[in-house]
């Protein structure tokens, strides 16, 4: 998870991590020593909490009870890791495992083991159902969720009090009213709207959900230019951006900069994920969070982001990879990773443990939303192209000359063509 948080993104997550495993020895035979090479993306924000330390510790613990399986870990930043895996695959050196932001393209080309070919039944059954389903390509799970997050509306309690706002917003009408009061008090960004290229696809989906829409319909077809989505961005253009309630130009504002501005006390409200809590607390910001506001009240759901573990077939280490992943996805290890990096557990057992532990209380409201969250259509091989197009175009939609219907229709046509080409 650029560094992406889940929502990370997305990505992420944003947005995540990547793992690779290669052989050392004569192959996958039960009596031979094997080295599984793990490439992981870095969820940390400094050397002190780098994911390298997490994986080194986890690997050594696994090796103690599995002396014939060694784990060689490499950690890359989120700006590098997807390309690193892609280059390895193209060079014919596919990793045994990779954990990145998308899996569908590799699954479509038949390069991956399915989850049920690797994991024990208890491990696979422990995945949070919504996440397991999001990891399916053509109804088979190839993407194993690794880190997750959901989004909530963050607000600055001090700025709200100074503007005479007593309750956080529950609807878009409340958002516009409160943003107007914050603007009158001189707040630089009453509502930060990051539609810059860093994570446009996330902010876009959040508002679509608030308006009763989304990227896809009930049967998984793209519905980008639905009437609900068009109305959503017409409202944003007219009622929020057009009235000067966002401060900075949405097309030029990236999520990272919006988060930094919130931590500096310059933002009244914005949509954020759990890592913003730590960032705000480090700067002494007194904040609150609520469920996403929607067009007529609370949004129908929030956005969920997940990063994905996948296992390549090329080196044939099915049994060893499965054994390692069963260890990785144990309740203790999932909870340890999630707690360390402010993410949400991807398994039911670790989620229940987190909800029962008061030291994770600030994550509880995010975690409770996960089971009903809506995810990117990462099961579509067309999604990377669609996401790239959203990043390039959505910032202009809410500008003074923005044309929501025209832009959304253009993206819909591109998405339909890409979807058809993949079939």
């Amino acid at each position: 998870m650029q560094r992406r948080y889940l929502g990370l993104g997305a990505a992420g997550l944003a947005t995540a991590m990547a793992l690779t495993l290669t052989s050392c020895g004569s192959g996958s035979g039960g009596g031979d020593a094997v080295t599984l090479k793990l490439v992981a993306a870095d969820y940390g924000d400094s050397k002190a909490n780098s994911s390298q330390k997490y994986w080194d510790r986890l690997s050594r613990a696994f090796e103690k009870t599995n002396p014939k399986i060694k784990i060689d870990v490499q950690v890359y930043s989120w700006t590098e890791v997807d390309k690193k895996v892609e280059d390895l695959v193209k060079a014919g050196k596919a990793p045994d495992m990779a954990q990145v932001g998308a899996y569908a393209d590799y699954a479509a080309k038949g390069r991956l083991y399915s989850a049920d070919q690797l994991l024990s039944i208890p491990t696979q059954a422990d995945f949070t159902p919504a996440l397991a389903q999001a990891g399916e390509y053509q109804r088979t799970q190839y993407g194993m969720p690794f880190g997750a997050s959901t989004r909530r509306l963050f607000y600055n309690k001090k700025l709200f009090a100074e503007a005479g706002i007593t309750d956080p917003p529950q609807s878009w009408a409340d958002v516009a009213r409160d943003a107007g009061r914050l603007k009158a008090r001189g707040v630089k960004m009453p509502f930060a709207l990051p539609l810059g290229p860093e994570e446009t696809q996330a902010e876009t989906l959040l508002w679509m959900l608030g308006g009763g829409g989304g990227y896809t319909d009930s049967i998984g077809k793209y519905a980008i230019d639905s009437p609900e989505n068009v109305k959503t961005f017409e409202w944003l253009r007219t009622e929020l951006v057009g009235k000067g309630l966002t401060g900075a130009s949405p097309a030029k504002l990236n999520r990272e900069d919006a988060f930094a501005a919130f931590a500096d006390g310059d933002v009244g409200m914005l949509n954020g994920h759990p890592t913003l809590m730590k960032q705000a607390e480090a700067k002494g910001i007194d904040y609150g969070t609520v469920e996403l506001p929607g067009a007529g009240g609370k949004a129908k759901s929030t956005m969920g982001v997940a990063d994905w573990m996948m296992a390549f077939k090329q080196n044939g280490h099915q049994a060893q990879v499965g054994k390692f992943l069963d260890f990785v996805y144990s309740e203790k290890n999932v909870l340890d990773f999630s707690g360390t990096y402010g993410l949400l557990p991807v398994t039911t057992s670790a989620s229940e443990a987190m909800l029962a532990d008061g030291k994770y209380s600030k994550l509880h409201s995010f975690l409770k939303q996960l089971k009903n969250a809506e995810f990117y259509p990462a099961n579509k091989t067309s999604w990377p192209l669609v996401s790239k197009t959203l990043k390039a175009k959505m910032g202009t939609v809410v500008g003074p000359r923005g044309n929501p219907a025209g832009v959304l229709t253009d993206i819909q046509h591109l998405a339909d063509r890409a979807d058809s080409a993949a079939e």
Side-chain angles (χ1 to χ4, degrees):
M1 305 177 139
Q2 29 226 13
R3 191 169 106 251
R4 182 173 66 90
Y5 294 95
L6 282 183
L8 347 342
L13 259 162
T15 82
M17 306 169 66
L19 294 98
T20 56
L21 294 108
T22 58
S23 68
C24 176
S26 60
S28 61
D32 297 321
V34 171
T35 293
L36 303 178
K37 187 178 178 183
L38 167 63
V39 177
D42 199 352
Y43 286 81
D45 55 13
S46 67
K47 287 185 178 180
N49 71 343
S50 168
S51 295
Q52 184 76 52
K53 292 188 174 182
Y54 171 83
W55 284 111
D56 285 348
R57 184 172 67 250
L58 191 71
S59 299
R60 300 299 83 81
F62 175 77
E63 291 170 355
K64 284 183 179 179
T65 55
N66 298 275
K68 289 190 176 183
I69 305 176
K70 303 298 181 185
I71 311 296
D72 176 26
V73 183
Q74 293 178 320
V75 170
Y76 292 88
S77 71
W78 272 101
T79 59
E80 302 174 284
V81 71
D82 290 274
K83 184 65 164 54
K84 178 66 176 178
V85 174
E86 181 183 346
D87 289 346
L88 287 169
V89 173
K90 286 182 178 179
K93 299 177 181 179
D96 290 307
M97 294 190 298
Q99 189 269 310
V100 288
Y103 62 86
D105 191 48
Y106 296 117
K109 294 176 180 177
R111 297 182 181 274
L112 304 180
Y113 288 115
S114 60
D116 62 1
Q117 291 176 316
L118 298 165
L119 304 175
S120 66
I121 292 174
T123 298
Q124 189 178 5
D126 198 26
F127 286 130
T128 300
L131 291 169
Q133 184 175 2
E136 293 181 357
Y137 174 75
Q138 295 185 344
R139 299 188 178 182
T140 298
Q141 186 183 358
Y142 295 95
M144 292 163 278
F146 193 77
S149 72
T150 61
R151 305 294 173 96
R152 290 173 67 83
L153 180 78
F154 282 69
Y155 63 98
N156 184 310
K157 289 184 177 181
K158 179 175 181 290
L159 296 180
F160 266 51
E162 291 173 349
I165 305 169
T166 56
D167 298 306
Q170 294 189 30
S171 69
W172 287 355
D174 295 340
V175 168
R177 179 200 64 213
D178 294 346
R181 292 176 178 175
L182 291 163
K183 181 182 179 181
R185 288 287 301 180
V187 175
K188 291 182 180 180
M189 295 186 196
F191 195 107
L193 185 65
L195 289 172
E198 180 190 356
E199 205 185 36
T200 326
Q201 79 284 3
E203 191 71 16
T204 297
L205 180 55
L206 289 167
W207 287 95
M208 285 179 170
L209 293 173
Y215 284 133
T216 57
D217 60 21
S218 60
I219 60 172
K221 296 290 185 181
Y222 281 115
I224 294 168
D225 64 346
S226 69
E228 293 84 359
N229 290 342
V230 172
K231 288 180 182 179
T232 289
F233 287 94
E234 287 177 344
W235 185 90
L236 276 173
R237 181 193 61 190
T238 303
E239 300 298 329
L240 213 61
V241 182
K243 294 182 179 179
L245 301 179
T246 59
S249 167
K252 297 179 180 178
L253 182 64
N254 281 324
R255 188 209 62 203
E256 183 178 356
D257 298 324
F259 279 20
F262 186 82
D264 287 338
D266 294 332
V267 173
M269 296 173 277
L270 83 169
N271 297 318
H273 52 64
T275 56
L276 180 55
M277 295 190 293
K278 181 179 179 181
Q279 195 171 345
E281 288 163 4
K283 292 289 191 73
I285 299 297
D286 186 14
Y287 66 88
T289 74
V290 292
E291 294 178 48
L292 297 181
K298 293 179 182 178
K300 68 173 185 177
S301 63
T302 189
M303 182 182 77
V305 178
D307 298 315
W308 304 102
M309 179 84 75
M310 55 188 169
F312 287 87
K313 295 178 178 179
Q314 181 172 319
N315 298 313
H317 298 147
Q318 180 179 353
Q320 293 91 338
V321 170
K323 196 166 193 176
F324 179 64
L325 290 179
D326 274 341
F327 180 76
V328 166
Y329 283 108
S330 69
E331 177 186 320
K332 176 183 180 297
N333 289 330
V334 172
L335 187 60
D336 182 25
F337 176 80
S338 302
T340 297
Y341 296 106
L343 297 170
L344 305 180
V346 297
T347 63
T348 300
S349 60
S351 296
E352 290 174 350
M354 179 174 278
L355 288 172
D357 194 333
K359 74 178 180 180
Y360 299 116
S361 60
K362 291 182 179 179
L363 288 170
H364 289 176
S365 58
F366 292 89
L367 181 54
K368 290 175 182 178
Q369 298 179 145
L370 187 58
K371 64 180 179 180
N372 295 318
E374 186 158 329
F375 296 84
Y376 298 137
N379 60 330
K380 291 179 174 286
T381 58
S382 57
W383 172 242
L385 175 61
V386 174
S387 178
K388 181 180 179 180
T389 306
L390 289 163
K391 291 181 180 182
K393 294 189 174 184
M394 287 307 297
T396 65
V397 167
V398 295
R401 298 181 181 178
N403 178 11
V407 172
L408 290 174
T409 297
D410 287 345
I411 298 174
Q412 176 73 38
H413 289 163
L414 177 141
D416 287 340
R417 289 194 299 270
D419 226 16
S420 295
E423 292 178 353

